[in-house]
Every structure is written in structure tokens, then in C-alpha cells.
Amino acid sequence: MRLLTNLLQDKLAVLSLAVIGLILAAGAMAPVFAPHDPNAVNMDLRYAGASWHYLLGNDHLGRCILSRLIYGIRPSVLGVLAALFVSVALGAFLGLVAGYFKGKTDAVIMRVCDIMLSFPGYVMTLAIVGILGVGLGNILLAFMLLKWAWFARIIRASVLQAAEADYIKFARITGVPSITILLRHVVPVVSADIAVVASSSFGSMILQLSGFSFLGLGVQAPNAEWGMMLNEARDVMFSRPELMLAPGLAIVLTVSAVNFMSDALQTALDPTLSKTNRKFREQASLPVKLRGKEVA
């Protein structure tokens, strides 16, 4: 409840949350919001400009750009969100087990994490796509196989700190089962950290998927996806730059809202961050003395 109260006091956080909610709702109910079939080809409307029937115009095949933009939310945002959920769930489970039980369990899990994190994420994703083939499913599978190790390591650090609390030590001494301690005492403490880590990774995963689709390794035609729309419009980027504007702005808006929301979560969990930032801004606005002279 306190977290929600702190978030509601931040206007930027409320705006970011509203934007994210609207995007998710539009993607989930794409047939309701989209005015046309996103894959309907009409060569008579090839490169047609904006009109009342096609608010954002038409692409090189006469397809409705607005409809494709709305349907593109599903792979670009909802698909990434599903992969993120699986990665966080697996990473959180292994991080909880490693941080709480420690010993050999911790050593084995962390060594596996070290192996997974020793390879660059983009290189491993390309390797998985090269083995399994291009497509949205393989990109999301690569995300799930690679991202969990990073989540597990960060969550383990939070669990190690939480497990040293006196009330958790007392629960252990009194014979409370470990599963009960984890669910009732440890998980509520580290859940906020899990939310921050997940939200900070959400934006980067959206960018990665769009980048792979732009390179032709992700979503394949004729399916709508923001990176794929950028790829289709790059041949006419100088003659008709507006075709790249809609998907580009959609990516920027979504990633910015997610990043602002992640920052707001961190500030809401640690209110001293907002005080520190405000103090820093106040100090930065004061005049600075340099060699006996006052410089504004």
C-alpha cells in the first residue's frame, strides 16, 4: 500500500503507468481498436497519405499503418512481457533457493549463472536463432534461456540480505518450515526488488526484439511488428520518412514509459533517492565560486 501511495504522488509515474496500461489494453483488444485488417492488401492505396479512413496512411502494399501498429503491440510488447514473466519466475525461484539455503546449492546455481553470463547476450541470442531458425518464438525462447541467470544473481543478493534478519533467524530456530519462511517472510521483502529488476529489463527486451525484427531475424512478414514495420519502410526512408515515424515513435514512447516507471519504482521503494536527487538539483542551481570569482 505504501508503494502504491508513493507512486501516485509522482505525476510522471502515473502518466507512465497510464501509457503502459493503454498500450497493453490496445494490444490485448487489437481487433476492437484496429480499424482495418492489418494484413489486407490494397495496391490502389499504395503509399496513400493520411485520411479519415486511414489515419496514418498506407504502406507499400496498401495496408493500414494504424492497424498494423496496434496489432504490432502483441509481439513487440505482450510477447516480450510473457517471456519476461517466465524469465523472472525462473530466476526468482533459483535466486530464492540459492540465497536462502546457501552452501552447495548456492555454489552450483551460481556457477551455472556464471557460465550463462560469460557470453554476450546478443551473441548467444544470434546463436540460438541460427540453430533454431528465425521467428518470434525462437527470439522469445532465447530471451527466456538467457535472461533468467541475470535475474537469479540479483535476487540472490537481495535474499542473502533479507535472510540475515532477526525474525527470520528466530523462525528457523523455532522450527518453522523453510517453504513457509520463504513464502511468508522472504518473498514479500524481495518482491519489490523483483519488480524493479523486471521493469528495468522490460524496455531493453522490447528494443532487442525490435532490433532483431528490423534485421529480419524476428517476426516475419506479413505479420505486424514494430521492428518489422521499420524494416519494410527503410527502402523509402528518404522519399517517405513518415512510414518509419509511427513505429519508431511507438518504440520510443513505450520504452520511455517503461524506463520512467522503473525509476519511479526505485524512488518509491527508497524515498531517500528522491531527496538526494532534489538536493543535487538544488546544489547544481547554486552559484559556484571559482578562483575567488562567482560563476553562475
Side-chain angles (χ1 to χ4, degrees):
M1 183 61 68
R2 185 180 64 182
L3 175 62
L4 181 60
T5 302
N6 292 337
L7 282 177
L8 293 178
Q9 293 176 353
D10 190 339
K11 295 181 180 180
L12 185 58
V14 174
L15 178 61
S16 300
L17 187 61
V19 170
I20 295 172
L22 181 61
I23 292 173
L24 293 177
M29 297 184 291
V32 177
F33 287 96
H36 303 281
D37 183 352
N39 297 324
V41 177
N42 187 349
M43 296 304 293
D44 293 335
L45 297 175
R46 187 170 183 262
Y47 293 132
S51 64
W52 287 110
H53 293 288
Y54 299 92
L55 297 179
L56 296 180
N58 304 77
D59 63 5
H60 64 294
L61 295 177
R63 297 173 296 189
C64 177
I65 294 178
L66 177 59
S67 299
R68 292 183 63 79
L69 196 70
I70 294 175
Y71 272 88
I73 297 174
R74 291 185 168 185
S76 299
V77 181
L78 298 181
V80 169
L81 187 62
L84 177 66
F85 178 80
V86 175
S87 299
V88 171
L90 180 59
F93 173 77
L94 294 177
L96 285 169
V97 171
Y100 183 80
F101 293 102
K102 304 178 184 179
K104 294 182 178 179
T105 303
D106 181 25
V108 171
I109 294 176
M110 286 301 101
R111 296 299 76 76
V112 175
C113 290
D114 291 340
I115 295 174
M116 298 298 296
L117 294 174
S118 63
F119 300 97
Y122 278 102
V123 175
M124 288 299 296
T125 304
L126 288 172
I128 293 175
V129 171
I131 295 172
L132 301 179
V134 300
L136 175 63
N138 293 335
I139 294 290
L140 297 180
L141 178 61
F143 286 165
M144 289 184 284
L145 292 176
L146 299 175
K147 297 291 184 180
W148 69 267
W150 187 68
F151 296 134
R153 179 170 289 279
I154 294 178
I155 294 168
R156 167 188 173 270
S158 299
V159 175
L160 286 174
Q161 184 177 2
E164 296 300 321
D166 293 336
Y167 64 92
I168 292 182
K169 293 180 179 179
F170 178 78
R172 286 178 175 175
I173 295 174
T174 55
V176 178
S178 298
I179 185 65
T180 303
I181 296 176
L182 284 172
L183 294 178
R184 290 187 179 181
H185 302 297
V186 178
V187 171
V189 173
V190 302
S191 59
D193 294 336
I194 294 174
V196 172
V197 172
S199 61
S200 62
S201 300
F202 190 25
S204 65
M205 292 174 68
I206 293 175
L207 287 176
Q208 290 177 26
L209 176 61
S210 298
F212 284 120
S213 296
F214 178 77
L215 296 175
L217 301 176
V219 177
Q220 300 298 299
N223 298 315
E225 195 273 335
W226 294 343
M228 185 65 186
M229 293 175 68
L230 290 173
N231 183 29
E232 292 174 341
R234 66 178 177 176
D235 293 334
V236 293
M237 62 182 299
F238 295 109
S239 59
R240 297 186 178 274
E242 66 275 6
L243 295 180
M244 301 190 73
L245 186 62
L249 287 179
I251 294 173
V252 171
L253 178 64
T254 304
V255 174
S256 298
V258 171
N259 289 338
F260 286 139
M261 191 63 201
S262 177
D263 293 340
L265 275 174
Q266 292 180 336
T267 304
L269 292 171
D270 188 3
T272 59
L273 290 177
S274 62
K275 297 179 181 179
T276 303
N277 293 335
R278 184 168 58 250
K279 182 178 180 181
F280 176 78
R281 288 193 298 268
E282 291 175 353
Q283 291 177 348
S285 63
L286 293 176
V288 179
K289 289 186 177 181
L290 182 62
R291 294 183 180 179
K293 297 180 180 181
E294 199 174 72
V295 180

